[in-house]
Amino acid sequence: RVLQGLGELDAAIDSFQTACEFFPAYGAAHYAAASAYRQKGDRNQASRHLRAYELHKGLDAPLEDPLWD
């Protein structure tokens, strides 16, 4: 979100996309991605991530991190 706040939308989107790929059921990552895509003007991607957020908004990221294995 810091990158998004600084206007670095492409870098922010890359980070959010990575989070969504590693944890597809992490609603907050989809919400953040939707916000960045919307700010960038990409309504299709924003809508896609907003739908994913609605499906997973009550779930937290898993405690296990596949990068640490």
Side-chain angles (χ1 to χ4, degrees):
R1 293 211 176 242
V2 171
L3 291 170
Q4 184 179 2
L6 293 172
E8 299 289 334
L9 294 178
D10 290 331
I13 288 169
D14 286 344
S15 294
F16 299 145
Q17 278 297 133
T18 299
C20 292
E21 289 168 12
F22 278 109
F23 308 112
Y26 185 28
H30 287 288
Y31 186 86
S35 174
Y37 276 117
R38 186 176 190 190
Q39 188 176 352
K40 188 175 178 178
D42 189 336
R43 296 179 74 155
N44 290 333
Q45 288 294 335
S47 293
R48 183 175 73 84
H49 281 284
L50 210 48
R51 284 191 302 274
Y53 164 72
E54 286 297 326
L55 287 173
H56 306 294
K57 64 183 171 185
L59 301 175
D60 292 328
L63 295 177
E64 294 181 17
D65 186 343
L67 296 177
W68 287 102
D69 291 338

